[in-house]
């Protein structure tokens, strides 16, 4: 497949003129009549994203003008509107470099075509005079596409078994070790994962998927992703509207796997441990029940007050397993609570951390990568809301107040002392398209956490 961004070595290409919003009128005044006429006919105005095709001296010659806020400081999304408006072919900027906008150029050409034929597979190629930065932009675009593909896949085609295959495929490509715990071993070793997933049909049984990679002498980093491949809500069943998008409830696993792929592809000097508790929260005679008391891998007991609060249960056992190997950094991703979406909407993952330096570094990385995060409090005053009359804790306090916080506090009980931990409650879905960001499965927080890992381990 031809890359969407390649090094500029003087190849034939159409020219893209970047017109600053503030200088648009002056630019237009300086153009010959044919350019002014074309711009006016195509309603090119001083607004970012507006684009027009400009005629050349001869009929076969044409170029593109597009309005941006500041050509000298392009954002990741400043050129993302162009691929959808341009015919297939090669393009270069008339001056300057695409910089961060390479990412949006690439992600704008994402198509999910598993269930239908693609409309147009021919790439729009951007030539760049920054060859050293092309690979990283393409890696990030590919990782984003991996998240989107996994989340967009129908639950009938992506259950726990298929998620294990996805992990094994990427692990095999990089010489990683992949292990899958299921059956009796899962029931005894990871009882909460087993309890949540045991109602699923044959072939969709629960499992814990683990990947190990890297030099054991390097710093250990653990990534955990919630892999609920479909969530009916269990016996506390969701309404049909609530189930409509529950194929995306493994979005945390998709993020963790994509981030693990970036780590391995770049040979980041860490000892990587990826853990994905993969289940389907189904309804059957074997469903776990409201009021059941579950034993955990850590030895704590949990009164199940809501079978639709299952994600934190499977994550609890996975976090316990991750901490047994004493990582210096632990990050989990989960499509965990509707409360986080109410508080912050879909674009800002609610970010919790037990370490102020880690939290600050994550927020700074999100700003640098235009992949924003928002820190939420691990408020100790709400820890009492997890009290149970008959067990060590409940999984979902009554009332639903501070739902994202209490879910994070629940997870914190499975993180060993002294381990720097961050929890990203991410939506993994985009309800409406934006340039470079298609409707459907989406990566939120992926590039921010990747920047954090690079800053800590590639450039210590």
């Amino acid at each position: 497949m031809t890359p969407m961004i390649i090094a500029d070595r003087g190849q034939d290409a159409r020219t893209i003129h970047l017109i600053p919003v503030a200088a648009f009128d002056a630019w237009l005044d300086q153009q010959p009549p044919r350019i002014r006429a074309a711009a006016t006919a195509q309603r090119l105005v001083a607004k970012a994203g507006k684009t027009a095709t400009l005629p050349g001296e001869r009929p076969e010659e044409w170029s593109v003008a597009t309005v941006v806020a500041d050509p000298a400081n392009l954002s990741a999304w400043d050129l993302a509107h162009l691929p959808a408006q341009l015919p297939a072919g090669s393009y270069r900027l008339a001056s300057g470099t695409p910089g961060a906008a390479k990412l949006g150029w690439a992600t704008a050409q994402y198509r999910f075509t598993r269930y239908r034929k693609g409309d147009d597979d021919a790439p729009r190629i951007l030539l760049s005079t920054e060859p050293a930065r092309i690979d990283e932009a393409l890696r990030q675009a590919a990782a984003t596409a991996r998240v989107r593909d996994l989340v967009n896949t129908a639950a009938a085609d992506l259950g726990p078994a298929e998620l294990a295959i996805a992990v094994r495929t990427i692990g095999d490509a990089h010489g990683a070790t992949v292990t899958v715990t299921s059956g009796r071993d899962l029931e005894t070793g990871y009882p909460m994962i087993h309890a949540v997933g045991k109602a699923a049909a044959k072939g969709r049984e629960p499992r814990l998927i683990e990947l190990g990679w890297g030099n054991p002498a390097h710093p250990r980093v653990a990534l955990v992703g919630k892999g609920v491949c479909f969530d009916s809500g269990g016996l506390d069943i969701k309404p049909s509207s609530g189930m409509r998008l529950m194929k995306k409830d493994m979005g945390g696993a998709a993020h963790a796997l994509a981030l693990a792929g970036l780590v391995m592809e770049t040979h980041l000097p860490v000892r990587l441990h990826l853990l994905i508790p993969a289940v389907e929260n189904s309804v059957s005679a074997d469903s776990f029940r409201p009021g059941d008391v579950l034993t955990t891998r850590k030895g704590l007991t949990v009164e199940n007050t809501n079978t639709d609060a299952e994600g934190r249960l499977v994550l609890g056992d996975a976090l316990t397993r991750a901490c047994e190997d004493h990582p210096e950094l632990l990050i989990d991703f989960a499509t965990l609570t509707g409360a986080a979406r109410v508080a912050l909407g879909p674009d800002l993952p609610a970010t919790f951390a037990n370490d102020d330096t880690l939290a600050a570094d994550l927020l700074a990385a999100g700003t640098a990568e235009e992949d924003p995060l928002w820190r939420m409090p691990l408020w100790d005053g709400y820890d009492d809301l997890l009290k149970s009359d008959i067990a060590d804790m409940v999984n979902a306090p009554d009332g639903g107040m501070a739902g994202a916080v209490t879910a994070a506090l629940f997870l914190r009980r499975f993180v060993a002392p002294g381990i720097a931990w961050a929890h990203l409650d991410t939506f993994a879905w985009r309800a409406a398209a934006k340039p470079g960001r298609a409707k459907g499965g989406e990566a939120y927080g992926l590039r921010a956490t990747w920047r954090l890992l690079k800053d800590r381990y590639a450039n210590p």
Side-chain angles (χ1 to χ4, degrees):
M1 179 180 294
T2 303
M4 290 167 284
I5 307 168
I6 62 176
D8 190 343
R9 296 187 174 88
Q11 305 96 313
D12 289 338
R14 301 289 181 181
T15 300
I16 299 173
H17 303 276
L18 302 182
I19 315 303
V21 170
F24 177 82
D25 291 339
W27 171 82
L28 190 61
D29 288 343
Q30 295 170 4
Q31 301 308 307
R34 70 176 189 281
I35 298 295
R36 291 200 300 271
T40 301
Q42 296 172 74
R43 299 182 181 180
L44 185 66
V45 295
K47 182 179 178 181
K50 290 294 185 179
T51 301
T53 300
L54 305 181
E57 295 285 351
R58 292 177 291 188
E60 69 274 12
E61 293 177 348
W62 56 270
S63 60
V64 179
T66 192
V67 182
V68 298
D70 181 2
N73 294 285
L74 295 175
S75 78
W77 314 114
D78 274 344
L79 302 183
H81 61 285
L82 287 174
Q85 301 180 36
L86 300 176
S90 297
Y91 299 85
R92 66 163 55 86
L93 300 186
S95 62
T97 60
K102 292 192 294 293
L103 176 75
W105 181 277
T107 59
Q109 299 183 65
Y110 170 82
R111 302 288 184 274
F112 182 65
T113 59
R114 176 165 181 165
Y115 302 111
R116 67 180 183 185
K117 185 178 180 181
D119 298 327
D120 185 357
D121 295 329
R124 281 70 174 159
I125 299 169
L126 182 64
L127 305 183
S128 174
T129 57
E130 305 168 296
R133 299 182 179 182
I134 292 174
D135 285 348
E136 177 62 13
L138 292 175
R139 272 194 296 267
Q140 291 190 23
T144 299
R146 177 172 283 133
V147 173
R148 293 173 174 177
D149 281 347
L150 288 168
V151 173
N152 285 330
T153 301
D157 298 316
L158 186 67
E162 290 79 16
L163 197 51
I165 291 171
V167 175
R168 194 174 297 280
T169 298
I170 192 170
D172 288 349
H174 298 287
T177 300
V178 176
T179 59
V180 178
T181 304
S182 59
R184 180 63 179 168
D185 290 338
L186 186 77
E187 182 178 359
T188 57
Y190 303 93
M192 287 201 293
I193 300 174
H194 167 76
V196 171
K198 66 180 181 177
K202 185 177 181 180
R204 301 183 71 84
E205 299 89 349
R207 63 207 71 199
L208 176 67
I209 309 160
E210 294 182 78
L211 177 150
W213 174 91
N215 187 338
H218 288 158
R220 179 175 286 272
V221 173
L223 305 176
V224 178
K226 174 187 168 186
V228 178
C229 297
F230 187 79
D231 181 18
S232 70
L235 292 178
D236 289 311
I237 194 166
K238 296 177 183 287
S240 58
S241 60
M243 277 189 259
R244 175 66 180 85
L245 292 180
M246 282 302 99
K247 68 177 184 178
K248 79 172 185 64
D249 213 20
M250 39 58 63
H255 281 73
L257 179 56
L259 184 56
L262 287 168
V263 168
M264 293 186 288
E265 289 163 19
T266 57
H267 304 283
L268 198 70
V270 299
R271 176 59 173 169
L272 175 67
H273 187 190
L274 170 70
L275 304 98
I276 295 176
V279 302
E280 181 170 294
N281 188 17
S282 298
V283 177
S284 79
D286 205 22
S287 294
F288 74 127
R289 295 164 288 267
D292 282 355
V293 176
L294 309 178
T295 302
T296 72
R297 181 176 179 85
K298 191 171 183 176
L300 299 170
T301 55
V302 178
E303 180 187 359
N304 176 40
T305 50
N306 188 339
T307 64
D308 198 20
E310 84 298 332
R312 66 201 70 182
L313 299 175
V314 300
L315 286 171
D317 274 352
L319 289 169
T320 299
R321 171 67 188 95
C323 290
E324 290 168 1
D325 288 338
H326 310 291
E328 72 168 44
L329 177 62
L330 170 59
I331 301 174
D332 79 73
F333 301 83
T335 53
L336 203 62
T337 67
R341 309 288 78 76
V342 172
L344 299 176
D347 292 350
L348 287 174
T351 303
F352 299 83
N354 65 357
D355 180 277
D356 288 341
T357 298
L358 173 58
D361 289 348
L362 271 171
L363 296 186
T367 298
E369 292 295 325
E370 300 178 66
D371 187 21
L373 308 174
W374 196 268
R375 190 180 187 186
M376 297 282 278
L378 285 165
W379 185 248
D380 291 333
Y382 293 154
D383 205 56
D384 284 349
L385 295 175
L386 295 173
K387 284 184 176 179
S388 167
D389 294 332
I390 61 172
D392 292 321
M393 56 182 155
V394 299
N395 64 326
D398 293 334
M401 297 183 70
V405 178
T406 55
L409 291 171
F410 180 93
L411 296 181
R412 187 176 68 173
R413 296 196 178 192
F414 298 91
V415 177
I419 295 175
W421 162 67
H423 159 59
L424 275 67
D425 190 337
T426 186
F427 191 46
W429 189 263
R430 183 172 294 280
K434 292 183 178 180
R437 292 151 288 182
K439 179 180 178 180
E442 185 60 293
Y444 296 103
L446 173 64
R447 291 181 290 112
T449 48
W450 174 229
R451 176 66 175 262
L452 172 86
L453 294 181
K454 287 190 296 181
D455 286 349
R456 287 199 168 195
Y457 300 110
N459 306 299

PDB file of all heavy atoms in Angstrom, residues 261-285:
ATOM      1  N   GLY A 261       1.297  -1.853  20.626  1.00  0.00           N
ATOM      2  CA  GLY A 261       1.880  -1.956  19.293  1.00  0.00           C
ATOM      3  C   GLY A 261       2.901  -0.868  19.031  1.00  0.00           C
ATOM      4  O   GLY A 261       3.969  -1.125  18.465  1.00  0.00           O
ATOM      5  N   LEU A 262       2.607   0.355  19.430  1.00  0.00           N
ATOM      6  CA  LEU A 262       3.562   1.453  19.259  1.00  0.00           C
ATOM      7  C   LEU A 262       4.842   1.189  20.051  1.00  0.00           C
ATOM      8  O   LEU A 262       5.949   1.449  19.564  1.00  0.00           O
ATOM      9  CB  LEU A 262       2.919   2.767  19.711  1.00  0.00           C
ATOM     10  CG  LEU A 262       1.849   3.347  18.789  1.00  0.00           C
ATOM     11  CD1 LEU A 262       1.095   4.478  19.484  1.00  0.00           C
ATOM     12  CD2 LEU A 262       2.465   3.853  17.490  1.00  0.00           C
ATOM     13  N   VAL A 263       4.690   0.695  21.254  1.00  0.00           N
ATOM     14  CA  VAL A 263       5.866   0.384  22.078  1.00  0.00           C
ATOM     15  C   VAL A 263       6.762  -0.632  21.379  1.00  0.00           C
ATOM     16  O   VAL A 263       7.987  -0.460  21.300  1.00  0.00           O
ATOM     17  CB  VAL A 263       5.412  -0.143  23.457  1.00  0.00           C
ATOM     18  CG1 VAL A 263       6.605  -0.755  24.219  1.00  0.00           C
ATOM     19  CG2 VAL A 263       4.778   0.973  24.272  1.00  0.00           C
ATOM     20  N   MET A 264       6.160  -1.685  20.858  1.00  0.00           N
ATOM     21  CA  MET A 264       6.950  -2.752  20.243  1.00  0.00           C
ATOM     22  C   MET A 264       7.518  -2.323  18.891  1.00  0.00           C
ATOM     23  O   MET A 264       8.672  -2.641  18.568  1.00  0.00           O
ATOM     24  CB  MET A 264       6.100  -4.014  20.113  1.00  0.00           C
ATOM     25  CG  MET A 264       5.733  -4.623  21.457  1.00  0.00           C
ATOM     26  SD  MET A 264       4.864  -6.226  21.352  1.00  0.00           S
ATOM     27  CE  MET A 264       3.259  -5.705  20.747  1.00  0.00           C
ATOM     28  N   GLU A 265       6.731  -1.604  18.099  1.00  0.00           N
ATOM     29  CA  GLU A 265       7.198  -1.177  16.774  1.00  0.00           C
ATOM     30  C   GLU A 265       8.430  -0.281  16.864  1.00  0.00           C
ATOM     31  O   GLU A 265       9.303  -0.321  15.987  1.00  0.00           O
ATOM     32  CB  GLU A 265       6.074  -0.435  16.048  1.00  0.00           C
ATOM     33  CG  GLU A 265       4.937  -1.336  15.592  1.00  0.00           C
ATOM     34  CD  GLU A 265       3.695  -0.541  15.252  1.00  0.00           C
ATOM     35  OE1 GLU A 265       3.811   0.683  15.018  1.00  0.00           O
ATOM     36  OE2 GLU A 265       2.593  -1.141  15.226  1.00  0.00           O
ATOM     37  N   THR A 266       8.503   0.524  17.888  1.00  0.00           N
ATOM     38  CA  THR A 266       9.615   1.471  18.033  1.00  0.00           C
ATOM     39  C   THR A 266      10.718   0.941  18.947  1.00  0.00           C
ATOM     40  O   THR A 266      11.682   1.648  19.205  1.00  0.00           O
ATOM     41  CB  THR A 266       9.098   2.799  18.595  1.00  0.00           C
ATOM     42  OG1 THR A 266       8.439   2.562  19.848  1.00  0.00           O
ATOM     43  CG2 THR A 266       8.124   3.471  17.635  1.00  0.00           C
ATOM     44  N   HIS A 267      10.552  -0.278  19.430  1.00  0.00           N
ATOM     45  CA  HIS A 267      11.547  -0.881  20.325  1.00  0.00           C
ATOM     46  C   HIS A 267      11.824   0.008  21.534  1.00  0.00           C
ATOM     47  O   HIS A 267      12.983   0.195  21.942  1.00  0.00           O
ATOM     48  CB  HIS A 267      12.846  -1.192  19.570  1.00  0.00           C
ATOM     49  CG  HIS A 267      12.651  -2.066  18.374  1.00  0.00           C
ATOM     50  ND1 HIS A 267      12.463  -3.424  18.462  1.00  0.00           N
ATOM     51  CD2 HIS A 267      12.585  -1.761  17.049  1.00  0.00           C
ATOM     52  CE1 HIS A 267      12.297  -3.939  17.247  1.00  0.00           C
ATOM     53  NE2 HIS A 267      12.359  -2.942  16.366  1.00  0.00           N
ATOM     54  N   LEU A 268      10.785   0.556  22.109  1.00  0.00           N
ATOM     55  CA  LEU A 268      10.940   1.378  23.297  1.00  0.00           C
ATOM     56  C   LEU A 268      11.592   0.537  24.396  1.00  0.00           C
ATOM     57  O   LEU A 268      11.175  -0.601  24.632  1.00  0.00           O
ATOM     58  CB  LEU A 268       9.568   1.885  23.754  1.00  0.00           C
ATOM     59  CG  LEU A 268       9.567   3.082  24.700  1.00  0.00           C
ATOM     60  CD1 LEU A 268      10.024   4.341  23.967  1.00  0.00           C
ATOM     61  CD2 LEU A 268       8.173   3.296  25.282  1.00  0.00           C
ATOM     62  N   PRO A 269      12.588   1.063  25.067  1.00  0.00           N
ATOM     63  CA  PRO A 269      13.324   0.251  26.047  1.00  0.00           C
ATOM     64  C   PRO A 269      12.559   0.076  27.359  1.00  0.00           C
ATOM     65  O   PRO A 269      12.904   0.647  28.405  1.00  0.00           O
ATOM     66  CB  PRO A 269      14.628   1.036  26.245  1.00  0.00           C
ATOM     67  CG  PRO A 269      14.277   2.452  25.942  1.00  0.00           C
ATOM     68  CD  PRO A 269      13.236   2.379  24.856  1.00  0.00           C
ATOM     69  N   VAL A 270      11.501  -0.719  27.305  1.00  0.00           N
ATOM     70  CA  VAL A 270      10.716  -1.060  28.490  1.00  0.00           C
ATOM     71  C   VAL A 270      10.441  -2.553  28.471  1.00  0.00           C
ATOM     72  O   VAL A 270      10.554  -3.216  27.432  1.00  0.00           O
ATOM     73  CB  VAL A 270       9.381  -0.289  28.537  1.00  0.00           C
ATOM     74  CG1 VAL A 270       9.608   1.212  28.586  1.00  0.00           C
ATOM     75  CG2 VAL A 270       8.464  -0.665  27.375  1.00  0.00           C
ATOM     76  N   ARG A 271      10.087  -3.067  29.621  1.00  0.00           N
ATOM     77  CA  ARG A 271       9.571  -4.424  29.727  1.00  0.00           C
ATOM     78  C   ARG A 271       8.047  -4.300  29.763  1.00  0.00           C
ATOM     79  O   ARG A 271       7.471  -3.865  30.765  1.00  0.00           O
ATOM     80  CB  ARG A 271      10.099  -5.107  30.989  1.00  0.00           C
ATOM     81  CG  ARG A 271       9.532  -6.511  31.233  1.00  0.00           C
ATOM     82  CD  ARG A 271       9.829  -7.463  30.094  1.00  0.00           C
ATOM     83  NE  ARG A 271       9.428  -8.833  30.422  1.00  0.00           N
ATOM     84  CZ  ARG A 271       9.373  -9.824  29.556  1.00  0.00           C
ATOM     85  NH1 ARG A 271       9.698  -9.597  28.290  1.00  0.00           N
ATOM     86  NH2 ARG A 271       9.027 -11.023  29.935  1.00  0.00           N
ATOM     87  N   LEU A 272       7.411  -4.631  28.675  1.00  0.00           N
ATOM     88  CA  LEU A 272       5.984  -4.389  28.502  1.00  0.00           C
ATOM     89  C   LEU A 272       5.156  -5.580  28.982  1.00  0.00           C
ATOM     90  O   LEU A 272       5.475  -6.732  28.685  1.00  0.00           O
ATOM     91  CB  LEU A 272       5.690  -4.133  27.020  1.00  0.00           C
ATOM     92  CG  LEU A 272       4.226  -3.970  26.617  1.00  0.00           C
ATOM     93  CD1 LEU A 272       3.637  -2.697  27.215  1.00  0.00           C
ATOM     94  CD2 LEU A 272       4.090  -3.964  25.097  1.00  0.00           C
ATOM     95  N   HIS A 273       4.077  -5.265  29.702  1.00  0.00           N
ATOM     96  CA  HIS A 273       3.111  -6.276  30.128  1.00  0.00           C
ATOM     97  C   HIS A 273       1.723  -5.739  29.781  1.00  0.00           C
ATOM     98  O   HIS A 273       1.254  -4.755  30.353  1.00  0.00           O
ATOM     99  CB  HIS A 273       3.229  -6.518  31.633  1.00  0.00           C
ATOM    100  CG  HIS A 273       2.402  -7.666  32.143  1.00  0.00           C
ATOM    101  ND1 HIS A 273       2.230  -7.911  33.494  1.00  0.00           N
ATOM    102  CD2 HIS A 273       1.722  -8.656  31.503  1.00  0.00           C
ATOM    103  CE1 HIS A 273       1.477  -8.979  33.654  1.00  0.00           C
ATOM    104  NE2 HIS A 273       1.153  -9.448  32.463  1.00  0.00           N
ATOM    105  N   LEU A 274       1.083  -6.344  28.810  1.00  0.00           N
ATOM    106  CA  LEU A 274      -0.264  -5.973  28.386  1.00  0.00           C
ATOM    107  C   LEU A 274      -1.249  -6.994  28.941  1.00  0.00           C
ATOM    108  O   LEU A 274      -1.028  -8.204  28.821  1.00  0.00           O
ATOM    109  CB  LEU A 274      -0.348  -5.948  26.859  1.00  0.00           C
ATOM    110  CG  LEU A 274      -1.741  -5.813  26.240  1.00  0.00           C
ATOM    111  CD1 LEU A 274      -2.301  -4.414  26.477  1.00  0.00           C
ATOM    112  CD2 LEU A 274      -1.700  -6.129  24.739  1.00  0.00           C
ATOM    113  N   LEU A 275      -2.330  -6.505  29.530  1.00  0.00           N
ATOM    114  CA  LEU A 275      -3.347  -7.396  30.091  1.00  0.00           C
ATOM    115  C   LEU A 275      -4.725  -6.944  29.621  1.00  0.00           C
ATOM    116  O   LEU A 275      -5.086  -5.767  29.777  1.00  0.00           O
ATOM    117  CB  LEU A 275      -3.329  -7.381  31.624  1.00  0.00           C
ATOM    118  CG  LEU A 275      -1.993  -7.729  32.299  1.00  0.00           C
ATOM    119  CD1 LEU A 275      -1.263  -6.446  32.680  1.00  0.00           C
ATOM    120  CD2 LEU A 275      -2.213  -8.589  33.535  1.00  0.00           C
ATOM    121  N   ILE A 276      -5.486  -7.877  29.054  1.00  0.00           N
ATOM    122  CA  ILE A 276      -6.841  -7.587  28.584  1.00  0.00           C
ATOM    123  C   ILE A 276      -7.786  -8.641  29.141  1.00  0.00           C
ATOM    124  O   ILE A 276      -7.766  -9.803  28.709  1.00  0.00           O
ATOM    125  CB  ILE A 276      -6.916  -7.572  27.046  1.00  0.00           C
ATOM    126  CG1 ILE A 276      -6.070  -6.412  26.496  1.00  0.00           C
ATOM    127  CG2 ILE A 276      -8.365  -7.447  26.585  1.00  0.00           C
ATOM    128  CD1 ILE A 276      -6.003  -6.382  24.977  1.00  0.00           C
ATOM    129  N   PRO A 277      -8.615  -8.274  30.119  1.00  0.00           N
ATOM    130  CA  PRO A 277      -9.671  -9.182  30.555  1.00  0.00           C
ATOM    131  C   PRO A 277     -10.798  -9.113  29.535  1.00  0.00           C
ATOM    132  O   PRO A 277     -11.448  -8.079  29.361  1.00  0.00           O
ATOM    133  CB  PRO A 277     -10.088  -8.598  31.906  1.00  0.00           C
ATOM    134  CG  PRO A 277      -9.738  -7.144  31.825  1.00  0.00           C
ATOM    135  CD  PRO A 277      -8.575  -7.018  30.883  1.00  0.00           C
ATOM    136  N   ALA A 278     -11.028 -10.215  28.824  1.00  0.00           N
ATOM    137  CA  ALA A 278     -11.961 -10.240  27.700  1.00  0.00           C
ATOM    138  C   ALA A 278     -13.190 -11.060  28.076  1.00  0.00           C
ATOM    139  O   ALA A 278     -13.083 -12.248  28.400  1.00  0.00           O
ATOM    140  CB  ALA A 278     -11.290 -10.825  26.462  1.00  0.00           C
ATOM    141  N   VAL A 279     -14.350 -10.415  28.033  1.00  0.00           N
ATOM    142  CA  VAL A 279     -15.588 -11.068  28.433  1.00  0.00           C
ATOM    143  C   VAL A 279     -16.732 -10.546  27.565  1.00  0.00           C
ATOM    144  O   VAL A 279     -16.611  -9.527  26.887  1.00  0.00           O
ATOM    145  CB  VAL A 279     -15.944 -10.781  29.917  1.00  0.00           C
ATOM    146  CG1 VAL A 279     -14.843 -11.236  30.849  1.00  0.00           C
ATOM    147  CG2 VAL A 279     -16.238  -9.290  30.129  1.00  0.00           C
ATOM    148  N   GLU A 280     -17.854 -11.264  27.627  1.00  0.00           N
ATOM    149  CA  GLU A 280     -19.118 -10.725  27.163  1.00  0.00           C
ATOM    150  C   GLU A 280     -20.077 -10.773  28.340  1.00  0.00           C
ATOM    151  O   GLU A 280     -20.238 -11.825  28.970  1.00  0.00           O
ATOM    152  CB  GLU A 280     -19.667 -11.538  25.984  1.00  0.00           C
ATOM    153  CG  GLU A 280     -20.983 -10.979  25.451  1.00  0.00           C
ATOM    154  CD  GLU A 280     -21.392 -11.647  24.144  1.00  0.00           C
ATOM    155  OE1 GLU A 280     -20.680 -11.473  23.136  1.00  0.00           O
ATOM    156  OE2 GLU A 280     -22.418 -12.334  24.139  1.00  0.00           O
ATOM    157  N   ASN A 281     -20.669  -9.636  28.662  1.00  0.00           N
ATOM    158  CA  ASN A 281     -21.614  -9.572  29.784  1.00  0.00           C
ATOM    159  C   ASN A 281     -22.999  -9.913  29.249  1.00  0.00           C
ATOM    160  O   ASN A 281     -23.714  -9.060  28.737  1.00  0.00           O
ATOM    161  CB  ASN A 281     -21.595  -8.170  30.404  1.00  0.00           C
ATOM    162  CG  ASN A 281     -22.403  -8.090  31.694  1.00  0.00           C
ATOM    163  OD1 ASN A 281     -22.722  -9.101  32.306  1.00  0.00           O
ATOM    164  ND2 ASN A 281     -22.735  -6.871  32.104  1.00  0.00           N
ATOM    165  N   SER A 282     -23.349 -11.189  29.368  1.00  0.00           N
ATOM    166  CA  SER A 282     -24.569 -11.703  28.749  1.00  0.00           C
ATOM    167  C   SER A 282     -25.619 -12.058  29.791  1.00  0.00           C
ATOM    168  O   SER A 282     -25.365 -12.012  31.004  1.00  0.00           O
ATOM    169  CB  SER A 282     -24.246 -12.953  27.921  1.00  0.00           C
ATOM    170  OG  SER A 282     -23.348 -12.646  26.881  1.00  0.00           O
ATOM    171  N   VAL A 283     -26.785 -12.434  29.303  1.00  0.00           N
ATOM    172  CA  VAL A 283     -27.893 -12.858  30.164  1.00  0.00           C
ATOM    173  C   VAL A 283     -28.206 -14.319  29.870  1.00  0.00           C
ATOM    174  O   VAL A 283     -28.462 -14.695  28.721  1.00  0.00           O
ATOM    175  CB  VAL A 283     -29.147 -12.004  29.921  1.00  0.00           C
ATOM    176  CG1 VAL A 283     -30.302 -12.509  30.782  1.00  0.00           C
ATOM    177  CG2 VAL A 283     -28.868 -10.543  30.215  1.00  0.00           C
ATOM    178  N   SER A 284     -28.121 -15.146  30.891  1.00  0.00           N
ATOM    179  CA  SER A 284     -28.490 -16.557  30.767  1.00  0.00           C
ATOM    180  C   SER A 284     -28.750 -17.097  32.161  1.00  0.00           C
ATOM    181  O   SER A 284     -28.658 -16.359  33.159  1.00  0.00           O
ATOM    182  CB  SER A 284     -27.362 -17.357  30.092  1.00  0.00           C
ATOM    183  OG  SER A 284     -26.324 -17.640  31.013  1.00  0.00           O
ATOM    184  N   ALA A 285     -29.059 -18.377  32.250  1.00  0.00           N
ATOM    185  CA  ALA A 285     -29.287 -18.984  33.570  1.00  0.00           C
ATOM    186  C   ALA A 285     -28.040 -18.944  34.429  1.00  0.00           C
ATOM    187  O   ALA A 285     -28.121 -19.074  35.655  1.00  0.00           O
ATOM    188  CB  ALA A 285     -29.770 -20.424  33.394  1.00  0.00           C
TER     189      ALA A 285
END
